[in-house]
Structures are given as C-alpha cells and as structure tokens.
Amino acid sequence: MPRARKAPAKDAGGDGEPLPPDLGLLRVLDDAGRADPATDPDLAPERRVALHRQMLFLRRFDNKMLGLQRQGRIAFYGASLGQEAAVVGSAACALAGDWVFPALREGGAALLRGMPLRTYVGQLYGNSADESLGHQQPMHFSWRAGNHVSLSSPIGTQIPQAVGAAMAAKIRGDKVVVFAYMGDGATSEGDFHVAMNFAAVFKSPVVLVCQNNGWAISVPVEKQTASKTIAVKARAYGMPGVRVDGNDLLAVHAATAAAAERARTGGGPTFLELVTYRMLGHSSSDDPTRYRDPAVVEEWERKDPVARFRRHLEGLGLWDAKKEEAAAAEIVAEISRAILEAEAAPPPSLETLVQHAYADVPVRLKRALDEVRPFFEEGGKAEGAFPL
C-alpha cells in the first residue's frame, strides 16, 4: 500500500494551549473561505481579486503546458497544481528590486512580478524567444530584469546562493530582500544546513521558503526528517520558524510579508514551511499512482487552494460565476497568443552555441563551431532525449 501523508496538525497542543509558530499551523481562512479577522492581512479588495486571478492563470497554464508536453511540442514540465496559493501568496510580497531564487515550482513568481508570457513560454521551447536562448532545460526560467534567477537541477544548491546574494546586498547597502525557495526534499541536503547557519549568524536579509508538498519525487516527507515539523528546524540555527497552511493564500501572504519586513529592516532571516500538496506527479515524466494512496489525494483535493479562495471572494461579494467565466476566457486567450508567438520564434542562431560564456569567444570555440556548422545548416539535429 502506498504511504499515506498525514493531514496537517491542529494549531493547539494537548492541553488546549496554542502551539509555537514552528509547531502549529498558521491559518487565516477556514475550509469555507471565511477569514479570521485577527489574522486577516490588510489586502485591498482589488488586490485579493488580482491574486485569485493569478492562481486561476497558473492552474490553466499548467494544464495547457502538460497538454503540449503530451503532444511532443515541449520536452518537459513540472506543474504547481495544488500549490498555487503557496506560490502566489509568497511571491506577492516581493518588491520590484527583490531577488527570487526558485526551486522547480516557482515559475509563477516570475509571471506574477511581470515576466513577459511570451518569454516564459519561449523558455519551454528553448528557441530565440527564450531569454537564455535554449541553454537551459525546460522549467529553468531566468529573468534578468526581474532578478529571477534560474533554478538549479541539483537539489538545494540555490539556497546558499540566495543567502550569498542576500549578504552581498547587505554589504552593498541595497535595501532588498532575497526569497529562497525549496521543497521538503531539499532540507535533507547539506546546502540547506550551510545556508541556514550562515543566514542566521550574519543576519542575511533572506526569506527561506520551504514548500512542503509531501513528496520529493516519490519519497514521502516522513522519510525526510524525524523532527515534528520542518519549520522547527529553524530553532537550531537561531532564527524564527513559522509553519503555515500553504493552501491558504492569506496565511501565506501574512507570514511572508512579516518575514520580508523583518529581513528588510535588519532583523535577519525567517524560515517558512508552507504545508501544501503536490496534486500531480513530480513532473510530466512521473506516475504518482505507483507510490501514492488515491484516498489521500482525494482528501487534499477537498482542500483545493483555488476553490477555497474563490469561496472567500464570493463571501465578500467580490466574485461570482460570471466573473469566473470571463476571467477564464481572458486567460485562455492570453495563453493561446503566447504559445503562437513562442512557436513562431526561430531557433537561436548557431553562434549562440559558443556565446555568452566569454566576453570574447575564444578561437578554439570558433573552430569547434565551424566543425559542426555544416551538419546543422544541412538540417541535422542533435541526438538525445530528456532523461527525467
């Protein structure tokens, strides 16, 4: 029988006393979408609607990209379906000059902050619409104008990089915050521990965000750690840890905004554990039915973050079926236009194979390019298939 994932813990101890933030579960919305006035962040109605639309967009986009992958039009895709509140709620707290070091499922943070959709889709195709001109695997989005750094395929390597970037900003006197994302599996890597210790000791202006979606590919979180929660690990390093309902957009926003403010004002790092669930496989190449209990998946489907926030907006009189239908139509049109534009873009020029590593291309690389040029000019294609 596949291992079942436990439901989130209640936010109270056995004696009825509230649990510490790193052992409890911060919530603003109940399951019906009603907000607790004591913890509801101060978000304007139009901001709430905009964040809901962004979640709707990510879900529709994920489904469309998975369809393109199945059609062989892109090679690989890693969806954030089920984790939209964690992505949108946290990224919405980043200011224009802040930096984002993502893991696999935070591409939506770049879109929320203004990355052109054509460029985003172009990255999945690896053509001239891609800012990195096909030099990266699909899902490795980078956006220089928005300080969105490409993820690293090796698990966890982005965490010390983010802490280092935060220290550089502190030394330079830049009042920016760095957001370092990771999955639960990354907390088992040495990079995690090095980064946590360095960030706490030197009070780096960084927010460390763990999307605990229950699985590191097929390894359940119960096999990642023996600690009661992931957030509680922050204690050993001397920084605050907060465990948050990652399917509650308002709770995610409240916790992340507080952590960002703390970092921006010199208070140092905060470690957030966003408890959510990966509704699909690890990627388009994974079959989660081989290792997950379908009953647990169904339980988490009832905790859908998009549906929950929709109920919240409906309760405030800010949303209804007509608005939902109109938003869906707009989103479909936006995605369709971006796909057409990206697919129309030509491949990168052959010269880009040897550019962008050196200020001046070395002679040996020019010679190597000349050796393969006839093959490609005659219509040849490189062999190989994406391994994951």
Side-chain angles (χ1 to χ4, degrees):
M1 172 68 67
R3 180 180 290 265
R5 190 187 179 196
K6 297 177 182 178
K10 298 294 183 182
D11 198 12
D15 56 2
E17 291 295 316
L19 290 169
D22 53 9
L23 292 175
L25 189 72
L26 175 64
R27 299 184 83 191
V28 173
L29 297 175
D30 64 15
D31 293 341
R34 295 182 294 259
D36 180 353
T39 53
D40 192 355
D42 185 21
L43 290 180
E46 58 271 19
R47 181 63 165 161
R48 295 176 191 240
V49 170
L51 295 180
H52 178 62
R53 189 187 187 281
Q54 192 66 26
M55 289 199 294
L56 291 175
F57 182 92
L58 289 182
R59 178 155 299 185
R60 182 77 62 163
F61 186 85
D62 275 351
N63 284 317
K64 184 64 176 180
M65 293 305 108
L66 286 170
L68 295 185
Q69 194 278 334
R70 295 295 187 249
Q71 295 169 14
R73 291 158 72 180
I74 61 176
F76 172 83
Y77 194 73
S80 60
L81 201 147
Q83 300 177 226
E84 294 91 348
V87 176
V88 174
S90 59
C93 299
L95 302 183
D98 291 343
W99 289 73
V100 173
F101 284 73
L104 176 60
R105 304 185 203 283
E106 287 80 32
L111 290 174
L112 175 66
R113 301 179 69 217
M115 183 176 180
L117 186 56
R118 176 184 182 273
T119 305
Y120 192 90
V121 177
Q123 199 283 326
L124 297 170
Y125 282 88
N127 58 24
S128 58
D130 173 19
E131 192 162 292
S132 57
L133 298 173
H135 287 184
Q136 274 282 22
Q137 298 171 210
M139 296 299 299
H140 289 57
F141 306 102
S142 59
W143 180 40
R144 180 184 293 271
N147 295 338
H148 188 97
V149 182
S150 170
L151 71 93
S152 301
S153 287
I155 300 300
T157 55
Q158 77 278 7
I159 313 172
Q161 294 165 5
V163 172
M167 275 307 301
K170 182 176 180 179
I171 292 168
R172 287 162 55 102
D174 296 339
K175 296 298 182 182
V176 302
V177 172
V178 177
F179 292 76
Y181 287 93
M182 70 202 79
D184 44 286
T187 64
S188 294
E189 295 290 335
D191 302 78
F192 168 78
H193 301 285
V194 169
M196 292 283 282
N197 190 56
F198 193 100
V201 169
F202 296 102
K203 289 191 173 182
S204 304
V206 60
V207 179
L208 298 131
V209 184
C210 175
Q211 284 207 66
N212 176 7
N213 67 13
W215 298 92
I217 305 184
S218 60
V219 179
V221 68
E222 291 84 0
K223 289 188 177 181
Q224 294 292 348
T225 182
S227 62
K228 291 184 177 179
T229 70
I230 288 179
V232 77
K233 296 176 184 290
R235 294 187 188 185
Y237 301 101
M239 74 171 75
V242 184
R243 189 167 179 263
V244 185
D245 182 346
N247 284 12
D248 178 347
L249 184 140
L250 295 181
V252 172
H253 191 284
T256 310
E261 179 64 17
R262 181 174 186 269
R264 206 177 303 278
T265 55
T270 303
F271 181 50
L272 304 178
E273 176 191 357
L274 310 183
V275 182
T276 181
Y277 198 75
R278 192 195 75 204
M279 295 308 301
L280 301 178
H282 170 73
S283 72
S284 53
S285 304
D286 178 37
D287 179 7
T289 63
R290 300 182 63 182
Y291 54 82
R292 297 204 307 198
D293 183 348
V296 177
V297 178
E298 290 176 6
E299 178 185 351
W300 280 92
E301 284 176 347
R302 292 192 290 271
K303 301 173 184 177
D304 179 8
V306 179
R308 186 176 179 188
F309 202 67
R310 181 187 298 116
R311 291 192 291 269
H312 170 69
L313 294 182
E314 289 172 345
L316 296 176
L318 299 173
W319 202 254
D320 55 31
K322 187 175 181 180
K323 291 180 179 179
E324 181 92 5
E325 183 179 349
E330 292 171 359
I331 289 168
V332 168
E334 290 173 22
I335 295 172
S336 297
R337 283 195 301 270
I339 293 172
L340 288 173
E341 292 172 1
E343 290 189 329
S349 68
L350 285 176
E351 284 68 26
T352 62
L353 287 171
V354 296
Q355 293 172 346
H356 312 301
Y358 299 92
D360 298 306
V361 180
V363 173
R364 59 183 175 82
L365 288 182
K366 292 180 179 179
R367 289 173 177 167
L369 178 62
D370 288 340
E371 289 179 8
V372 300
R373 187 187 299 276
F375 171 77
F376 286 105
E377 289 180 343
E378 292 171 6
K381 293 184 178 181
E383 295 180 358
F386 194 77
L388 297 177

